Amino acid sequence: MSLHFAIAAVVSLVGALLAVTQANILHAVFGLAIALVGVAGVFFTLDSPFVAIMEVLIYVGGIAVTMIFAVMLSSVSNPKERESAGRRLLAALVAVAFFVGGALVIAHADFGPGKKLPPSAWGLEQVGRDLLGRFNLAFETLSIVLLLAIVGAIVIVRKESAMPANADEEAS
Amino acid sequence: MSSTSIGLVLLGAPLMAFFVALVVFRKNHLAAMMTVLLSGAATCASAVFLLATKGGTPAEQASRAWIHAGGTSIEFGILLDGKTLIMGTVVSVITLCVQVYSLSYMSHDPGRGRFFAFLALFEWAMLSFVYSPSLMQTFVFWELVGLSSFFLIGFWYRKPSAIAAAKKAFIMTRIGDVGLFIGLILLFQTAHTLDIQTLNTMSVATGNFDSGRIELITLLLFVGIVGKSAQFPLHTWLPDAMEGPTPVSALLHSATMVAAGVFLFARFHPLFMQAELTLTVVLCVATFTAVLSSTMAMVASDMKRVFAYSSISQLGFMLMGLGAGSLFAGYFHLTTHAIFKALLFLCAGAFIHEYGTNDTVAIGRAGARKLRVITLGLIIGGGALAGFPLLAGFFSKELIIHSLHDKPLFLAGAYLASFMTAYYTFRVIFLVVFPNQDSAVQVEEPPADSHDDHHSSSLPLHAPILLLTVGAIAVGWFGDSIASVLGLVAYHPSLPEMAPAIGVALGGILIAWFDFGRKSAPQTGFISKLAPLHTLFKNGWYLDVIYKKLFVGAAQAVAGLLFGTENHVLDKASDMLGQGTLTIGETTGKAQSGRLPLYIGLAALCFSGAIIALGLEMMR
Amino acid sequence: MPQTLTQLLDGSVLAMPIAAGLIMGMLTVNVLMLVWAERKVSAWIQMRMGPTEVGPFGLLQTLADMLKLISKQLITPSNVDKPLYHLAPLLAFAPVVAAVALFPFSESTILVQNDYGLLFVFAFGGIAVIAIFMAGWGSNNKYALLGAIRSVAQNISYEVPLILSALSVVLVVNAMGPTLSSGDGVVAINGLDLSHIVMTQDQQGIWFVVLQPIAAIIYFISALAETNRAPFDIPEAESELVAGFHTEYSGMRFSLFFFAEYTNMLIVSMLAVVLFFGGWDGPVLPGPAWFFLKSYAVIFVMMWVRWTFPRLRFDQLMTFCWKVLIPLSILNLLATAFVIAVL
Amino acid sequence: MSSDSQASEGEVYSLNMGPQHPSMHGVLRLLLDLRGEEVIRAKPVIGYSHRAHEKMAENRNTLQFLPNTSRVDYLSGMIYNLGYCQAIEKLLGIDVPERAIYIRVIVNELNRIASHLLWFGTFLLDLGGITPFLYSFDDREEILDILDQVTGSRLTYCYGRFGGVTWDVDETFLTRATAFLARIRERLHMYKQLVTDNVILRERCTGVGVVSEALAKSYGVTGPSLRASGVAYDVRKAEPYGGYDRFDFEVPVLHEGDTMARFHIRIREIEESCKIIEQAIEAIPEGEILPKKMPKRFKLPEGEYYFAVESARGHFGMYIVGDGSDIPVKLKLRTPSFSNLSAMPETLAGTMLADTIAIVGSIDVVMPEIDR
Amino acid sequence: MSSYAQLALLLGLGIALGAMPLVLPLLIGPRYKGKDTESTYECGVDPVGSSWLRFGIGFYVFALIFVAFEVDILYLFPIALVYEDFGWRGFVEIALFLSILSLAVVYAWRKGVFHWAK
Amino acid sequence: MTLEGALLLGLMLFSLGLYAVLARRNLIGILIGIELMLNAANINFLAFNYFIPTDPAVAQIIVLVVIGLAAAEAAIALAIILKLYRQRNSVDVDAMQLLRSTGAEASNE
């Protein structure tokens, strides 16, 4: 199990590295897809196969695809714009600081004794039962959220607002 | 069923109706039917509450925390005591009646889906207000009542006068609301609780509050009531609110909107009782309003307008009763008035709808008495309003007059108003029942929005009128029950005590008969012989004009003054100030770079620092 | 319970490589057969002979073609986006190999037994979408990019009715028998397990095509679109886009796409058989025989359709999906749920 | 509804369709400006198969030019070949024997059917229907065989002679032609069921690529493409030549002007051609196929002359300037495909990419005819 | 070895197996390189402009709708497994869920998203 | 595999996401970072639930909801990015400074 976890973790880290370092934004999206496949692998090792499959289906099959479309629609002409070294350094500093702090906390936190539940309690049936049962509000709300997302996306994308294209330029 | 679940139906059904109607508002019929059905459910729920309560049962409260803020949790829920039970039932029944009535009345209006949605919203707001257990809920729904009435008055939003009326209603009540809001905040600050029951209990025990404070608070609350219940000097919005559809007027004038003010007074009755000064102010204002608006009603030619003025005067009556200390009298009149006033408006609406004019004379001449059911409703409702013996209004009005017996000045005002009420009410009745085709009276108003089709015979139009007619006859006899629900003891004035009032009322009717009823009556009214007075009354004592002159003039004067000051004194100073500000702004604005990553980065850095600190702390 | 390959090989380290080899062999034979069949079917439909020269009935023609393709030069156009260009064919190829392993060829023959087989099949399809994008973008060719975009838009759109129709079946499966008795005793049924879907049909003695005819039709149409088969072969419409997203691919790289495409046909057909046609269920013949017979029957219909219909225009295709198929499949799902609730 | 439609977004880019494209007819190159799937501008680029036929005509005598004619439009070469003969005959006043007239009509119409059949197949291929292509080529093959039998060539015929035809036809030819008529009628019925009634085809074609009557006239569109736009112009009826006035046939006209109309017109023209062939076979007289007396050299009289025939694609005109020698000073070919293609930029703008292929397919262009 | 690991392994092996035949042509294939061998195909003429283009937004709207839609649908799978246990309540919830989902289709339909303007 | 290991993985992914958010100028790049951070949180949810479970399926449901919300978020965010691109012809976050302090000289011009 540990081996599986390690492999999945490596895949996700490599993907994430690609996703954040690739200058070509399209490559970064593919990196994200790889990272998320890795994350899905981690989910498998954490006994949540359904969530893992959802991760692949939604992130890789859906969100990544939409992102690629967005890249194609927006950043095609200059996909390889690299940020300045100083900026990357500063960002790296902040990220590393965060990582160090988090690692310190993890290293010294006491999470209490671990225990295991029977696998049946983890099953998809249980998820389904909970979704229909005690978490049904979350279930229905989610459908509304997604409906609103669709409506919002359509509204945003389709309607041209009256805002001039070069509002910023006019100000200066 | 627990009271919580009934309460859920009671408050949930109208809200649901609102949303359903809002969603399907293009499907007018569906929206209307859904609203009526859900409103019916709410009515049943309120009736269940009322019937399940035996007199004097202690108040019951069911609420859920709504917002937690600091140590206080603001609750949303229902409070069941005598006041809410009666008022809630009256509100829901009358709203249901009006909605049923509107099924027919609005049947050809293209926007009636929207109309029913707003009706439902109105009902929900009013019920939530009435059943409110906390100050916060009270205030929120007080405002929502105002908002929904704004929507309804301005329902025909293509009509400029309707928009103007809606705005006027909204703004004038807003003036009062400012007072109310300050009052409520002060109250909370004083009592440290939002719970109404606790408040009232606390206020009864003397010494809890500083009396000066109480007077200030109650006066501020009364300002709100003046706005909402259309008392002088903020009464002018109510007659203009006639621009909305007639069912709206019926609702507005009887059980909702204006009643909210009186109900608020009753709600905080124990508190008001602690403030002598406020009570005197209340009595003064109420009496003056009652007389003043009655004079206007005597000469108004628009049938709805007559009833509108009468509403103002009757509200004055209620406040007189309450102000005089008799909760029962005022509350009883609130109940009876709701019923007969709704009835009168529905009848007026039916006439207007049928004959396409608002003018009483024109309606009478057009043969309105042929609509027997409606004419009957008008007579009964009018009788109740006039205090005709044994009808609903009679009993409650007697009680109010009785409660004033030791305040001769106000008593006299009450008698005067009562006389005029009888007069103008029967003026309308006689004009409708005994139209005189030959009389010289000019029809003043142009025809209202013409309605090509007649629905006067349809069941939805008649059923509410009949129901309310029965109510206007019967409710007066239930004084004892109402008193017992309120936890009070009913008081029955003896016949001698009632005699003057009866006499005044009958006198008013008699003069009305002389002026309008008898054969070859002039049908002009005695006021018109006193031309200046007539003009004065007709124009509502020129209050609107005065307000305009007063406020606009004052504002202009102030503006002129300020303009001068600004030009000659402040300009230089402000220039310097502006320059200074700009310099400061430019300096500090550099931090406001608009660079999102910078902001996030700083935040993340701070957060990271905090985490590192936490980690180091844990290491130790 | 079905016997998985690992069990067969007694947990040997080599189990998976052997399995992969087996699958590869099977798929290669399958693709060779399918291409031959496509040629023959098209020939029959067009009243001609088809391949006759190489091998009996031209059976080895495709093999010869494959050898030719292997011996061809791999041309990499100079201005492609190299990582994407090279990775795309592999990424199109790998998921289909893994997906095939999930199918139960008979009650006891299944390579990888998984509780979520149905979802995995869809998830592997999702990876293929990314591969198409990579190919289209990586090629730096307008036809390829346009073809890829069309293909992706089409694939994701038709995935919705596809999943919805499968969902109806899952509902039916779980409603039909909450438990299932098999050799090892009674187990709870899981409608996402491909073997369970088949076993339910087997035990109830009814194919779901009877219970879910609308879902079956929707599935079939969507499957045509998912595999880019005519009349939905718009991404590769040779009359417009030359060859769609694999315009710039030649030799074995093209073959990998080609391989994936034909294997996809097999996968959607096998899924159709599992979902609607009772899987391995059938008299006399052994399970795998029935399974493949049915699958090839479905494929035959797909070929038949391809050689019969002209192609839709792209907007018509999308409109058809969103205005007809998706509402219909939602209604079908609702109706299914309703019937189950009533019963 | 979609004035701000999503298709009107995105970058405008140029795309070459052809010259080496699977669906371009010959070596036509369309330079398309696209936005997403929408065609903003379409610019035909021609000249990839230019052979200088007109220049050749100025450098050889009238007889030597005869074989060139069928290379101009290799799909209806017979019509061009015979049309050129008819032009010269008219110029020189040569009388054509009756039998030759009938033979010419039969082979002309057979060639027209062959051309339309090829168009039928390729057009459906453009729409993605592969099978009809093979079916219609099967039928066309029969015509090619029949013509091969009498002319000795399958595509680029040189069957015409000034004054008649090269070889006489025999009974076998007439029987085969009759048999073919029966066959093609049966097949047309099948095509109707298989193709014309197909809902996808109708969806793809109806209302697509509308060439209005005005547009067609302004660009000089002729042939079936013009008749689909509502103009009943056919040289065989308008200025009868070669004995076409003896036959009873109709000129089908539709008014929609869309791709579907062009499709229907050609199908119906096949039927009409069948009718003509049927009548010709029935009425063919015995006799000579060439006039008895022929001039040795075909000297063109001085002056300018114009003669037109109806090819499978429309009005094919020859403008000849003679100076008394047998070498034309100028021989200008007015070819229908060129005019028909000129109308395309206006028609294609605003359509979708897939429609472009269908529309260009539906007007049936032959590239050598355009490039000459 | 869990079946998930097996699948992952198969996926990896698939890539390896796919890479293998790509090596073969390098060994046995010809290595011709002419002037235009490695040029981009655009019907035999030089390509006009770049091939990395911004295509119409129409595709993108579909992708947006699809993302939300797919998520919605996938939630139904765990529900489908236990649907029967919930009876009418389950139906009401699913019906509610699906009708909200359908609203998205209806909205997009009404807004003309599915209408691909020519 | 331990809880700490999983948490560390989550932390790494989160840090990488943070880096992307800060370093990227392309809005889509920032969105990628955000998605990474979301998934890091998902890992933590599942890890805690796996190693020290209190309520069996709740983490899975939380993660499912997060995935759903991420999808909605991505849809809206990408729509906004596209809109920005159309109006300003750029997806550079540094160019999105309408709310920045412009200074007096800018407003005077």
Side-chain angles (χ1 to χ4, degrees), chain D residues 27-203:
Chain D
V27 284
L28 172 62
R29 174 181 171 200
L30 278 179
L31 191 53
L32 300 175
D33 283 355
L34 294 167
R35 195 193 278 133
E37 294 263 320
E38 186 193 8
V39 176
I40 308 291
R41 209 163 57 94
K43 189 176 150 204
V45 181
I46 58 173
Y48 286 92
S49 63
H50 189 70
R51 290 181 65 180
H53 285 296
E54 286 168 359
K55 195 70 191 165
M56 283 192 228
E58 293 167 24
N59 289 302
R60 52 199 67 190
N61 68 33
T62 41
L63 190 56
Q64 282 171 321
F65 185 67
L66 188 55
N68 276 53
T69 48
S70 59
R71 270 82 172 167
V72 171
D73 176 356
Y74 53 82
L75 293 182
S76 53
M78 185 70 84
I79 301 176
Y80 276 54
N81 190 254
L82 296 174
Y84 176 66
C85 294
Q86 279 157 346
I88 300 296
E89 284 154 10
K90 199 171 177 196
L91 260 178
L92 302 182
I94 302 170
D95 283 331
V96 183
E98 277 296 299
R99 185 170 173 86
I101 287 176
Y102 278 88
I103 293 173
R104 282 178 169 184
V105 166
I106 293 171
V107 293
N108 259 346
E109 294 308 314
L110 279 177
N111 196 218
R112 191 186 310 279
I113 293 175
S115 175
H116 282 348
L117 281 174
L118 182 129
W119 164 84
F120 177 82
T122 54
F123 172 65
L124 284 161
L125 200 58
D126 291 345
L127 291 177
I130 300 163
T131 300
F133 178 74
L134 287 129
Y135 282 21
S136 73
F137 265 55
D138 200 18
D139 296 337
R140 178 168 171 266
E141 201 62 24
E142 182 67 26
I143 298 178
L144 296 190
D145 278 353
I146 294 171
L147 291 179
D148 184 21
Q149 184 198 355
V150 61
T151 68
S153 46
R154 292 169 54 83
L155 206 60
T156 48
Y157 314 99
C158 192
Y159 184 50
R161 287 292 178 270
F162 300 142
V165 292
T166 317
W167 290 290
D168 199 357
V169 299
D170 55 5
E171 264 318 303
T172 342
F173 171 82
L174 295 178
T175 336
R176 282 186 80 175
T178 317
F180 174 77
L181 292 183
R183 172 196 167 119
I184 191 69
R185 282 181 171 141
E186 202 180 300
R187 298 284 280 210
L188 282 176
H189 183 65
M190 183 179 85
Y191 292 155
K192 181 177 173 341
Q193 287 180 329
L194 266 183
V195 179
T196 319
D197 288 349
N198 184 299
V199 63
I200 298 178
L201 179 93
R202 276 185 273 143
E203 278 291 314

